[in-house]
Protein backbone atom coordinates (compact mmCIF):
# COMPACT_ATOMS: atom_id res chain seq x y z
CA UNK A 1 0.00 0.00 0.00
CA UNK A 2 1.52 3.33 -1.05
CA UNK A 3 1.99 6.15 1.43
CA UNK A 4 -0.12 9.16 0.50
CA UNK A 5 2.74 11.59 1.28
CA UNK A 6 4.80 10.00 -1.49
CA UNK A 7 7.58 9.17 0.97
CA UNK A 8 7.79 5.54 2.03
CA UNK A 9 8.30 4.64 5.67
CA UNK A 10 12.09 4.39 6.18
CA UNK A 11 11.76 2.73 9.60
CA UNK A 12 11.76 -0.88 8.33
CA UNK A 13 15.03 -0.22 6.48
CA UNK A 14 16.62 1.34 9.57
CA UNK A 15 15.38 -1.45 11.82
CA UNK A 16 16.63 -4.13 9.42
CA UNK A 17 20.06 -2.50 9.12
CA UNK A 18 20.29 -2.18 12.87
CA UNK A 19 18.87 -5.63 13.57
CA UNK A 20 21.00 -7.65 11.19
CA UNK A 21 24.24 -5.91 12.16
CA UNK A 22 23.39 -6.23 15.87
CA UNK A 23 22.58 -9.95 15.53
CA UNK A 24 25.90 -10.74 13.89
CA UNK A 25 27.98 -8.66 16.33
CA UNK A 26 26.06 -10.16 19.24
CA UNK A 27 26.84 -13.68 18.03
CA UNK A 28 30.53 -12.74 18.29
CA UNK A 29 30.03 -11.08 21.70
CA UNK A 30 28.15 -14.14 22.99
CA UNK A 31 30.92 -16.43 21.79
CA UNK A 32 28.79 -18.27 19.20
CA UNK A 33 30.93 -16.94 16.33
CA UNK A 34 34.69 -16.53 16.61
CA UNK A 35 36.46 -13.17 16.56
CA UNK A 36 37.38 -14.10 12.97
CA UNK A 37 33.81 -13.16 12.00
CA UNK A 38 34.48 -9.49 12.84
CA UNK A 39 35.39 -8.76 9.20
CA UNK A 40 31.83 -9.67 8.22
CA UNK A 41 30.46 -7.57 11.09
CA UNK A 42 32.58 -4.57 10.13
CA UNK A 43 31.46 -4.79 6.50
CA UNK A 44 27.84 -4.75 7.64
CA UNK A 45 28.59 -2.03 10.20
CA UNK A 46 29.75 0.40 7.54
CA UNK A 47 27.22 -0.40 4.80
CA UNK A 48 23.95 -1.68 6.28
CA UNK A 49 24.20 -0.70 9.94
CA UNK A 50 25.90 2.60 9.13
CA UNK A 51 25.03 4.04 5.74
CA UNK A 52 21.58 2.47 5.27
CA UNK A 53 20.54 3.47 8.78
CA UNK A 54 21.87 6.99 8.34
CA UNK A 55 19.82 7.28 5.15
CA UNK A 56 16.74 5.97 7.00
CA UNK A 57 17.36 8.69 9.59
CA UNK A 58 17.56 11.42 6.98
CA UNK A 59 14.37 10.19 5.30
CA UNK A 60 12.69 10.14 8.73
CA UNK A 61 13.59 13.83 9.12
CA UNK A 62 11.86 14.44 5.77
CA UNK A 63 8.76 12.62 7.01
CA UNK A 64 8.75 14.71 10.20
CA UNK A 65 9.38 11.73 12.50
CA UNK A 66 11.71 13.18 15.14
CA UNK A 67 12.12 9.93 17.09
CA UNK A 68 13.01 7.81 14.06
CA UNK A 69 15.24 10.54 12.62
CA UNK A 70 17.19 10.81 15.85
CA UNK A 71 17.40 7.07 16.47
CA UNK A 72 18.36 5.96 12.96
CA UNK A 73 20.81 8.81 12.39
CA UNK A 74 22.41 8.17 15.78
CA UNK A 75 22.74 4.40 15.38
CA UNK A 76 23.94 4.81 11.81
CA UNK A 77 26.68 7.03 13.27
CA UNK A 78 27.26 4.42 16.00
CA UNK A 79 27.97 1.72 13.43
CA UNK A 80 30.23 3.98 11.38
CA UNK A 81 32.18 4.99 14.50
CA UNK A 82 32.30 1.35 15.64
CA UNK A 83 33.86 0.43 12.31
CA UNK A 84 36.47 3.18 12.75
CA UNK A 85 37.23 2.13 16.34
CA UNK A 86 37.92 -1.44 15.33
CA UNK A 87 39.55 -0.61 12.00
CA UNK A 88 42.07 1.69 13.69
CA UNK A 89 42.33 -0.63 16.72
CA UNK A 90 41.31 2.10 19.13
CA UNK A 91 40.31 0.03 22.13
CA UNK A 92 41.13 2.42 25.00
CA UNK A 93 37.94 3.88 26.44
CA UNK A 94 35.53 1.47 24.76
CA UNK A 95 33.72 0.93 28.08
CA UNK A 96 33.01 4.67 28.37
CA UNK A 97 32.01 4.76 24.68
CA UNK A 98 29.45 2.00 25.34
CA UNK A 99 28.13 3.63 28.53
CA UNK A 100 27.45 6.91 26.74
CA UNK A 101 25.66 5.06 23.94
CA UNK A 102 23.68 3.37 26.70
CA UNK A 103 22.69 6.78 28.11
CA UNK A 104 21.49 7.97 24.71
CA UNK A 105 19.60 4.72 24.28
CA UNK A 106 18.02 5.09 27.74
CA UNK A 107 16.44 8.44 26.88
CA UNK A 108 15.27 7.10 23.53
CA UNK A 109 13.79 4.09 25.37
CA UNK A 110 11.70 6.50 27.46
CA UNK A 111 10.36 7.90 24.18
CA UNK A 112 9.22 4.42 23.15
CA UNK A 113 6.63 4.43 25.93
CA UNK A 114 4.58 6.43 23.41
CA UNK A 115 5.34 4.14 20.47
CA UNK A 116 4.62 0.45 19.98
CA UNK A 117 5.71 -2.27 22.40
CA UNK A 118 8.02 -3.91 19.89
CA UNK A 119 10.14 -0.73 19.79
CA UNK A 120 9.91 -0.51 23.58
CA UNK A 121 11.57 -3.95 23.81
CA UNK A 122 14.19 -3.13 21.15
CA UNK A 123 15.34 -0.09 23.12
CA UNK A 124 15.00 -1.74 26.54
CA UNK A 125 17.22 -4.64 25.53
CA UNK A 126 19.61 -2.30 23.72
CA UNK A 127 20.36 0.03 26.62
CA UNK A 128 20.87 -2.91 28.97
CA UNK A 129 23.10 -4.54 26.34
CA UNK A 130 25.29 -1.43 26.20
CA UNK A 131 25.67 -1.44 30.00
CA UNK A 132 26.54 -5.15 30.10
CA UNK A 133 29.05 -4.81 27.26
CA UNK A 134 30.67 -1.82 29.00
CA UNK A 135 31.01 -3.85 32.20
CA UNK A 136 32.53 -6.60 30.08
CA UNK A 137 35.02 -4.10 28.65
CA UNK A 138 35.98 -3.14 32.20
CA UNK A 139 37.05 -6.70 32.96
CA UNK A 140 33.95 -8.82 33.64
CA UNK A 141 34.08 -10.88 30.43
CA UNK A 142 31.20 -13.15 31.50
CA UNK A 143 28.99 -10.07 31.87
CA UNK A 144 30.02 -8.97 28.38
CA UNK A 145 29.06 -12.40 27.06
CA UNK A 146 25.62 -12.04 28.69
CA UNK A 147 25.44 -8.66 26.93
CA UNK A 148 26.09 -10.52 23.68
CA UNK A 149 23.11 -12.80 24.30
CA UNK A 150 20.87 -9.86 25.21
CA UNK A 151 22.11 -8.03 22.10
CA UNK A 152 21.07 -11.05 20.06
CA UNK A 153 17.55 -10.75 21.49
CA UNK A 154 17.61 -7.01 20.74
CA UNK A 155 18.68 -7.54 17.12
CA UNK A 156 16.09 -10.26 16.55
CA UNK A 157 13.40 -8.02 18.02
CA UNK A 158 14.47 -5.21 15.67
CA UNK A 159 14.27 -7.60 12.70
CA UNK A 160 10.79 -8.72 13.83
CA UNK A 161 9.70 -5.07 14.12
CA UNK A 162 11.04 -4.35 10.63
CA UNK A 163 9.18 -7.34 9.20
CA UNK A 164 5.98 -6.36 10.99
CA UNK A 165 6.12 -2.81 9.65
CA UNK A 166 6.75 -4.01 6.08
CA UNK A 167 4.07 -6.72 6.15
CA UNK A 168 1.46 -4.64 7.99
CA UNK A 169 1.91 -1.61 5.76
CA UNK A 170 1.96 -3.69 2.58
CA UNK A 171 -1.15 -5.67 3.54
CA UNK A 172 -2.98 -2.64 4.92
CA UNK A 173 -3.77 -4.59 8.10
CA UNK A 174 -1.94 -6.16 11.02
CA UNK A 175 -0.20 -9.36 10.00
CA UNK A 176 2.37 -9.28 12.82
CA UNK A 177 1.41 -7.44 16.03
CA UNK A 178 3.54 -4.54 17.23
CA UNK A 179 1.66 -3.94 20.48
CA UNK A 180 -0.03 -0.83 21.80
CA UNK A 181 2.03 1.91 23.44
CA UNK A 182 2.41 1.87 27.23
CA UNK A 183 1.56 5.59 27.43
CA UNK A 184 -0.43 8.04 25.38
Amino acid sequence: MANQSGIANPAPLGLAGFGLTTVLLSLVNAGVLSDGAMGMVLALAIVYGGIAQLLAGMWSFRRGDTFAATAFSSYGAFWLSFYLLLHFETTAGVGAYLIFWGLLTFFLWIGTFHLNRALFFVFLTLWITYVLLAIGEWGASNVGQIGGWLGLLCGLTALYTSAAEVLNETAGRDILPLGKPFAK
Side-chain angles (χ1 to χ4, degrees), residues 128-142:
I128 296 170
T129 296
Y130 276 128
V131 170
L132 294 174
L133 292 174
I135 292 169
E137 284 294 320
W138 290 324
S141 60
N142 289 345

Side-chain angles (χ1 to χ4, degrees), residues 119-161:
L119 285 173
F120 172 89
F121 285 109
V122 169
F123 283 85
L124 172 65
T125 55
L126 182 58
W127 77 260
I128 296 170
T129 296
Y130 276 128
V131 170
L132 294 174
L133 292 174
I135 292 169
E137 284 294 320
W138 290 324
S141 60
N142 289 345
V143 175
Q145 191 172 14
I146 293 167
W149 287 106
L150 190 58
L152 179 61
L153 177 62
C154 174
L156 291 172
T157 305
L159 288 170
Y160 169 87
T161 307

Side-chain angles (χ1 to χ4, degrees), residues 151-178:
L152 179 61
L153 177 62
C154 174
L156 291 172
T157 305
L159 288 170
Y160 169 87
T161 307
S162 174
E165 289 199 17
V166 168
L167 294 174
N168 294 351
E169 192 168 317
T170 302
R173 61 183 176 86
D174 284 352
I175 303 290
L176 294 174
L178 290 167

Side-chain angles (χ1 to χ4, degrees), residues 24-75:
L24 291 174
L25 176 59
S26 295
L27 288 170
V28 173
N29 288 335
V32 175
L33 295 177
S34 73
D35 287 344
M38 283 306 291
M40 169 187 57
V41 173
L42 291 177
L44 272 172
I46 200 163
V47 178
Y48 203 35
I51 295 170
Q53 238 186 129
L54 190 58
L55 288 170
M58 295 301 107
W59 291 320
S60 295
F61 274 112
R62 177 66 179 98
R63 282 177 56 108
D65 186 341
T66 301
F67 181 89
T70 303
F72 293 132
S73 298
S74 294
Y75 295 114

